[in-house]
Amino acid sequence: MANSGPTSGKKSLNSVTLLFKLPYYTQWGQSLLIAGSEPALGSWNVKQGVSLSPVHQDSELIWCGSVSVVAGFTCEYKYYVVDDSKNVLRWEAGEKRKLVLPEGVKEGDVIEIRDWWQDASEALFFRSAFKNVIFNATEGVKESQSVSLNKSLDPEDIVVQFVISCPRLVSGSTVVVTGSNPQLGRWQTQDGLKLSYVGDSLWKASCALRNQAGNSSLELGPNREVNVDLSSPKQSRYIVLSDGALRDAPWRGAGVAVPIFSIRSDEDLGVGEFLDLKLLVDWAVNSGFHLVQLLPINDTSVHGMWWDSYPYSSLSVFALHPLYLRVQALSDAIPADVKEEIQQAKKQLDKKDVDYEAALSTKLSIARKIFNLEKDKVLNSSSFKQFLSENEEWLKPYAAFCFLRDFFETSDHSQWGRFSQFSKEKLDKLISEGTLHHDVICFHYYVQYHLYIQLSEAATYARKKKVILKGDLPIGVDRNSVDTWVYPTLFRMNTATGAPPDYFDKNGQNWGFPTYNWEEMSKDNYGWWRGRLTQMAKYFTAYRIDHILGFFRIWELPDHAATGLVGKFRPSIPLSQEELLSEGLWDFNRMSQPYIRQEILEEKFGSFWTVIAANFLNEYQKQCYEFKEDCNTEKKIIAKIKTSAENSLWLEKEDSIRRGLFDLLQNIVLIRDPEDSTKFYPRFNLEDASSFRDLDEHSKNVLRRLYYDYYFARQENLWRQNALKTLPVLLNSSDMLACGEDLGLIPACVHPVMQELGLIGLRIQRMPSEPNLEFGIPSQYSYMTVCAPSCHDCSTLRAWWEEDEGRRSRFYKTVVGSDEEPPSRCTPEVVHFIVQQHFDAPSMWAIFPLQDLLALKDKYTTRPAPEETINDPTNPKHYWRFRVHVTLESLLDDKDIQATIKDLVTSSGRSFPGKKVEGADESREKLSKVQLNGKA
């Protein structure tokens, strides 16, 4: 920002001194400094910022520092915690502070700036979810350009500028400071000091105070104090008091979660559509919800079949899915025959579950007919041209990719001949107007344009209704995607992303996504990620980061793996050959090659072991075997079982033989690094392997210790630093509220980093993060969490309750507190008890799958509970097709269930759309009462 600049060295004319004070407790070896936008504060170079020194003041540790500047100085600044070398350890959350000196400051004056550390939970309320949707209190409020005194100063006056952050005010509020001092109205609200709005949720006012003393309570929490010692010759003439936000009770809200494809309405064509969100928002408002959570909505059309129903495998991280298009809204002039076709399609596609292939092909077929009728009108419209101009960076490659995918009948761009390598020149030729296929390119533009219009309409509607739309940011992209074609250096294509064994699958998971090349991504400050978040923010005001652990470390598998067991973390510190030798471990081939002995084969395959050995193994020494070259990986085994000329020998045994061979292949202790043969990684759950059990006791003890060190100790600082390089970029790319899915095997560094960055975690009662607990205790959840009884990656509340009698009994005893026999059926009473636990939890958000909410009423529980499951994570080819069995229109007509849910919201003290501020007077003034301690 433009400025007349600071002074340095010898003081220039009109110089003043800024004295910063901040209470903050540090650990040994840590200190505080200020860095800001002007040279006096280091020009955002932290190592050249202003160092602060600690001073004990009563029971507080106050960090102080001063700098001389010219009288007209303005700047932005932040506080940082640094080590002895001024390396940043953490920084305060929220927007940059803005400093404008009080009017009337003269040469030689000291301006004392009393700040308060901005923590991450406080900064959340400056995110668009709250600022632009739920509160939006300052919309239409005129910003004051200056805050001046309404009187001339006497020599004994001290000017106090009150600055308070109020992001949680409701519309129409004003802010008043009252106190015992006459200038603050002697506790009379109507005579208090009225603050002016100066932007960014900040309110300010200046007041000249003299020697006065007083005492009062302040909002919630401990008293604020303004200590003014008029008798001290060192007393600052000006005090800027900015000691935190207006203190209210912790804000808590509630929401509903449902995939777009699961919504059913009177207008849809066999699958939920973006415009259905308006009905869902109405139902959410009636039920007391401030939030609607969705699964990913990007185009996943990779395979051209129902496999593409998996919403986390994006064809493009920018393009929206044509599945969610409402074809009736494409034009006001749809011909009668096309209208009839739409009506017939509605009847044919109105099934129990989503018919993914039929719904998508029907919509695209109808959309093409309408496009052919009105393409000239739409493509020449100013709104379309603006859309194309604003999105061409991703839209043009996407349209070209879709054309090439259909032309070559595969999304595997390595099979596209000269087009397998992307270039700007090739792209320009592909999409140029003179080509025979230009209409095909324009059709993809056209569909994306209308998807943008329809989702934008729904998003605008939600904001007006004070409902947050929460999106989902997948951790991976499909390896045959637009993004891997256009940006190949950003991905490690010879590896796959997955998850180690945890809650979902004893063999781990192989998602098949290529892992990220973070080093390459960092070269443009993670521009690809920033673009993704910017695109999401067009529609959403909150988002869920899928598998947030991937930003700390990812479970990386070789591309030839089909399961997720034999992988390693990236990044990670491996076991070195020197380290292993120093521990007395030397037989690296024995520990890193599949350990296959005849007795193991006999035990696993019985009398059939000889057939297995003859077809898949070589005997390299007596009773010791190794895999043949054509089946020495999991994918090769799958292929050989299916295509071998001898496959008639194992008909009807394929699954058991495949599992047995996988077990043999995974029967190792160490995984050798394919890029450096002197580095090793301990196999996950290595004690389950017979290769481990047959080692000598010394080797087993050493490997147990190194295993624990690798998975639970040596990586923590590395993973923390990795997350602190990437996650802040995401968070700063938009002003959306961010939540992280942090289920599974959680390293110790994850939750502290999430807390530091203001990331809200997830708590599922059946998946407690606390050790030695079978069921989470919602009343003990921390504030910075989303709590839920289930999620899309597990069975619904009803199914979970009914599928395991023993677990149901344990829950009834430990959580419900009853020794009676629990009902075998998940009755509405059981659902009400569990749901109420979550509404009453301290968590900032309680978000419920729609299926769990509908279970509050018997009428909606006629469908078998297992049919309501959205995803089975143990099945890599699960068909994502669940549809709610009642329409949104019917749910809107059901006043009883909406009233039941809203009663749960209101009785728990959670906020809901239309709720008035508790304790506000008729003019809805928020009061900030300040204790003034004057010393004569």
Side-chain angles (χ1 to χ4, degrees):
M1 88 177 31
N3 203 307
S4 53
T7 62
S8 59
K10 183 180 178 181
K11 288 188 178 181
S12 69
L13 296 176
N14 300 320
S15 69
V16 297
T17 299
L18 304 181
L19 175 60
F20 294 93
K21 290 186 175 182
L22 179 84
Y24 190 89
Y25 286 97
T26 56
Q27 298 178 357
W28 182 259
Q30 298 177 347
S31 61
L32 263 69
L33 59 74
I34 299 171
S37 58
E38 299 304 314
L41 300 179
S43 299
W44 293 119
N45 183 337
V46 174
K47 291 185 182 294
Q48 295 179 14
V50 176
S51 297
L52 307 183
S53 301
V55 176
H56 286 279
Q57 182 174 307
D58 297 326
S59 61
E60 288 190 308
L61 186 66
I62 310 295
W63 288 84
C64 306
S66 62
V67 61
S68 294
V69 299
V70 295
F73 182 78
T74 62
C75 72
E76 294 179 335
Y77 67 100
K78 266 184 177 287
Y79 290 94
Y80 297 82
V81 178
V82 297
D83 61 19
D84 292 337
S85 301
K86 291 191 176 182
N87 297 310
V88 176
L89 302 175
R90 72 183 63 90
W91 55 91
E92 59 177 348
E95 299 296 320
K96 298 169 183 174
R97 299 175 183 266
K98 296 179 180 178
L99 177 63
V100 178
L101 299 187
E103 290 188 1
V105 172
K106 299 183 179 64
E107 179 186 358
D109 281 341
V110 176
I111 300 92
E112 187 175 315
I113 301 159
R114 302 180 184 178
D115 281 329
W116 192 266
W117 182 271
Q118 298 176 157
D119 65 31
S121 61
E122 183 179 297
L124 291 182
F125 295 98
F126 291 95
R127 294 286 179 175
S128 59
F130 294 107
K131 182 176 62 176
N132 298 337
V133 181
I134 292 180
F135 298 115
N136 204 15
T138 56
E139 185 177 32
V141 178
K142 186 177 181 181
E143 293 184 17
S144 176
Q145 299 302 310
S146 63
V147 178
S148 57
L149 291 168
N150 55 11
K151 66 181 286 293
S152 58
L153 291 178
D154 293 328
E156 63 271 28
D157 284 336
I158 300 294
V159 176
V160 177
Q161 183 181 92
F162 295 94
V163 183
I164 190 162
S165 171
C166 305
R168 291 166 52 186
L169 294 188
V170 296
S171 181
S173 299
T174 59
V175 182
V176 175
V177 179
T178 66
S180 58
N181 192 292
Q183 285 79 7
L184 298 179
R186 296 190 187 277
W187 303 119
Q188 298 302 309
T189 303
Q190 65 274 16
D191 298 327
L193 178 65
K194 189 172 182 178
L195 277 66
S196 299
Y197 181 64
V198 296
D200 297 327
S201 297
L202 290 177
W203 299 73
K204 289 184 183 181
S206 293
C207 182
L209 301 180
R210 296 188 183 180
N211 185 15
Q212 299 286 337
N215 192 9
S216 167
S217 63
L218 158 71
E219 313 133 39
L220 296 176
N223 294 344
R224 299 181 194 246
E225 296 183 359
V226 181
N227 295 302
V228 179
D229 189 352
L230 299 176
S231 63
S232 171
K234 295 183 178 180
Q235 175 63 54
S236 305
R237 184 72 188 277
Y238 293 87
I239 297 174
V240 178
L241 184 66
S242 178
D243 56 351
L246 188 72
R247 295 198 285 262
D248 281 339
W251 186 93
R252 293 152 64 240
V256 58
V258 62
I260 285 272
F261 59 78
S262 297
I263 297 171
R264 187 186 294 266
S265 77
D266 291 340
E267 295 299 315
D268 70 54
L269 264 66
V271 65
E273 298 166 349
F274 287 146
L275 288 175
D276 289 326
L277 288 173
K278 296 168 73 174
L279 292 175
L280 183 59
V281 164
D282 287 340
W283 186 84
V285 171
N286 294 348
S287 302
F289 290 139
H290 262 307
L291 182 146
V292 168
Q293 178 171 320
L294 307 174
L295 292 187
I297 57 172
N298 294 112
D299 191 356
T300 58
S301 306
V302 175
H303 303 97
M305 59 178 294
W306 65 263
W307 289 359
D308 296 333
S309 66
Y310 179 39
Y312 288 90
S313 188
S314 304
L315 177 82
S316 165
V317 298
F318 298 98
L320 299 173
H321 206 309
L323 186 68
Y324 306 129
L325 182 70
R326 175 158 295 168
V327 293
Q328 303 95 306
L330 292 177
S331 173
D332 294 329
I334 299 176
D337 61 328
V338 178
K339 287 183 177 180
E340 178 60 27
E341 183 179 353
I342 292 172
Q343 291 305 312
Q344 290 301 317
K346 286 174 68 173
K347 294 176 184 177
Q348 294 168 3
L349 294 170
D350 188 19
K351 303 177 182 180
K352 183 181 75 171
D353 297 312
V354 176
D355 186 336
Y356 179 91
E357 293 172 31
L360 181 59
S361 63
T362 299
K363 290 190 175 195
L364 290 176
S365 174
I366 294 171
R368 282 191 185 93
K369 293 175 181 177
I370 301 173
F371 167 75
N372 289 333
L373 293 171
E374 62 169 32
K375 60 185 177 184
D376 292 337
K377 174 185 172 184
V378 173
L379 298 181
N380 290 313
S381 67
S382 59
S383 59
F384 173 82
K385 290 179 178 178
Q386 181 179 350
F387 169 77
L388 181 60
S389 173
E390 292 175 353
N391 296 275
E392 62 181 351
E393 185 175 349
W394 66 264
L395 182 57
K396 290 180 177 179
Y398 165 78
F401 186 99
C402 291
F403 165 72
L404 292 169
R405 172 200 62 196
D406 298 341
F407 180 82
F408 288 102
E409 298 182 335
T410 178
S411 291
D412 182 356
H413 39 83
S414 68
Q415 306 299 310
W416 289 354
R418 66 189 182 93
F419 295 109
S420 60
Q421 301 294 321
F422 175 85
S423 73
K424 183 67 166 57
E425 293 74 24
K426 294 175 188 176
L427 175 66
D428 290 341
K429 290 179 181 179
L430 272 171
I431 64 174
S432 61
E433 290 189 27
T435 60
L436 294 174
H437 59 264
H438 187 62
D439 267 7
V440 178
I441 297 292
C442 289
F443 174 68
H444 293 297
Y445 295 164
Y446 171 84
V447 170
Q448 289 299 313
Y449 169 63
H450 278 285
L451 288 165
Y452 159 76
I453 290 174
Q454 293 180 15
L455 182 55
S456 296
E457 180 181 330
T460 300
Y461 186 82
R463 282 193 290 271
K464 288 181 178 178
K465 292 283 188 174
K466 295 192 176 300
V467 172
I468 295 165
L469 279 190
K470 182 181 177 185
D472 197 322
L473 184 75
I475 185 61
V477 300
D478 198 283
R479 62 179 55 249
N480 296 319
S481 65
V482 182
D483 301 279
T484 58
W485 181 52
V486 178
Y487 308 108
T489 60
L490 302 184
F491 305 92
R492 300 180 187 276
M493 298 300 290
N494 61 338
T495 62
T497 302
D502 56 9
Y503 291 106
F504 300 128
D505 189 345
K506 67 178 182 178
N507 293 315
Q509 297 167 307
N510 184 346
W511 300 324
F513 309 136
T515 52
Y516 294 122
N517 185 343
W518 291 109
E519 295 81 6
E520 187 68 25
M521 287 181 162
S522 68
K523 292 179 181 178
D524 67 348
N525 194 27
Y526 308 96
W528 182 77
W529 283 103
R530 288 185 286 110
R532 290 183 71 179
L533 271 295
T534 300
Q535 187 74 3
M536 281 190 76
K538 293 178 179 179
Y539 314 109
F540 300 106
T541 50
Y543 66 105
R544 167 189 178 272
I545 302 175
D546 172 46
H547 193 65
I548 197 171
L549 300 186
F551 293 91
F552 292 79
R553 83 298 186 265
I554 200 73
W555 188 245
E556 185 179 79
L557 302 156
D559 185 42
H560 55 69
T563 67
L565 182 64
V566 186
K568 64 182 177 66
F569 288 122
R570 179 182 287 272
S572 65
I573 303 169
L575 308 177
S576 68
Q577 186 167 299
E578 293 78 7
E579 181 180 7
L580 293 168
L581 286 169
S582 70
E583 296 280 4
L585 301 181
W586 54 270
D587 195 348
F588 302 117
N589 286 336
R590 157 68 178 83
M591 291 183 287
S592 63
Q593 296 295 325
Y595 179 70
I596 308 172
R597 300 294 182 265
Q598 183 173 319
E599 62 268 22
I600 297 174
L601 293 172
E602 292 174 349
E603 179 183 351
K604 190 168 291 295
F605 298 103
S607 60
F608 201 66
W609 80 268
T610 54
V611 176
I612 297 297
N615 283 276
F616 296 93
L617 305 171
N618 291 322
E619 187 175 16
Y620 64 90
Q621 66 182 55
K622 188 172 179 59
Q623 298 187 352
C624 297
Y625 295 83
E626 63 184 3
F627 276 96
K628 293 181 177 181
E629 180 68 24
D630 65 349
C631 56
N632 61 1
T633 71
E634 291 176 348
K635 288 185 178 178
K636 286 181 180 180
I637 288 172
I638 293 172
K640 183 163 183 174
I641 288 175
K642 288 184 177 180
T643 62
S644 173
E646 288 78 24
N647 63 5
S648 60
L649 296 173
W650 47 75
L651 285 177
E652 301 180 1
K653 296 181 180 180
E654 283 190 16
D655 287 346
S656 62
I657 290 174
R658 185 183 67 252
R659 287 195 299 269
L661 290 171
F662 280 8
D663 287 345
L664 293 179
L665 199 63
Q666 297 164 356
N667 192 23
I668 58 176
V669 174
L670 298 176
I671 300 168
R672 194 185 293 265
D673 192 317
E675 298 172 4
D676 186 342
S677 61
T678 66
K679 294 178 180 177
F680 299 87
Y681 306 88
R683 199 209 84 164
F684 198 88
N685 287 346
L686 59 78
E687 292 193 51
D688 292 344
S690 59
S691 176
F692 175 86
R693 294 193 294 270
D694 284 358
L695 291 170
D696 62 89
E697 287 304 313
H698 169 76
S699 297
K700 286 194 281 190
N701 288 332
V702 169
L703 286 167
R704 285 191 187 100
R705 176 163 44 81
L706 292 176
Y707 176 90
Y708 182 88
D709 182 53
Y710 176 84
Y711 282 99
F712 303 107
R714 71 167 65 189
Q715 319 295 348
E716 292 293 328
N717 188 58
L718 173 66
W719 291 343
R720 169 186 163 82
Q721 294 304 318
N722 196 52
L724 289 175
K725 283 191 297 186
T726 56
L727 282 173
V729 177
L730 265 71
L731 300 179
N732 294 331
S733 297
S734 76
D735 62 353
M736 292 185 289
L737 179 69
C739 307
E741 182 268 291
D742 54 348
L743 302 175
L745 189 69
I746 305 297
C749 62
V750 171
H751 288 151
V753 168
M754 291 181 67
Q755 184 176 0
E756 186 174 326
L757 297 179
L759 278 159
I760 302 171
L762 177 61
R763 299 293 175 268
I764 305 293
Q765 190 170 25
R766 71 186 75 170
M767 304 176 189
S769 56
E770 302 86 352
N772 305 318
L773 272 185
E774 184 177 11
F775 311 111
I777 306 172
S779 63
Q780 296 181 8
Y781 293 159
S782 61
Y783 177 64
M784 292 284 287
T785 56
V786 172
C787 68
S790 71
C791 66
H792 69 273
D793 266 336
C794 59
S795 55
T796 61
L797 180 53
R798 276 205 306 140
W800 177 80
W801 180 269
E802 296 171 3
E803 68 192 7
D804 189 322
E805 180 181 355
R807 183 180 61 201
R808 179 170 67 237
S809 297
R810 294 191 300 274
F811 183 91
Y812 210 63
K813 181 178 179 63
T814 60
V815 179
V816 180
S818 173
D819 291 324
E820 297 180 4
E821 187 72 20
S824 58
R825 177 173 163 269
C826 190
T827 64
E829 291 75 22
V830 169
V831 175
H832 193 282
F833 175 86
I834 296 174
V835 166
Q836 185 170 26
Q837 276 194 316
H838 290 76
F839 274 114
D840 291 342
S843 302
M844 175 185 282
W845 287 101
I847 301 176
F848 302 88
L850 182 58
Q851 305 96 298
D852 292 349
L853 293 169
L854 296 184
L856 287 164
K857 191 170 183 176
D858 258 331
K859 173 182 177 181
Y860 301 116
T861 61
T862 56
R863 187 175 186 174
E867 292 183 3
E868 295 185 331
T869 299
I870 294 170
N871 177 40
D872 175 8
T874 65
N875 178 8
K877 294 299 182 185
H878 178 77
Y879 194 167
W880 297 60
R881 64 187 312 192
F882 165 71
R883 292 190 80 193
V884 178
H885 56 295
V886 290
T887 65
L888 287 171
E889 290 87 352
S890 298
L891 289 177
L892 280 165
D893 287 339
D894 188 339
K895 306 302 180 187
D896 290 340
I897 193 165
Q898 292 171 88
T900 297
I901 297 170
K902 191 164 186 177
D903 284 345
L904 285 163
V905 176
T906 56
S907 64
S908 69
R910 291 187 178 271
S911 176
F912 55 88
K915 181 179 181 180
K916 292 186 177 181
V917 177
E918 194 173 321
D921 62 19
E922 292 179 0
S923 63
R924 292 195 289 182
E925 291 185 331
K926 268 290 191 182
L927 308 182
S928 176
K929 297 180 180 179
V930 181
Q931 173 184 334
L932 300 177
N933 291 334
K935 298 180 181 178

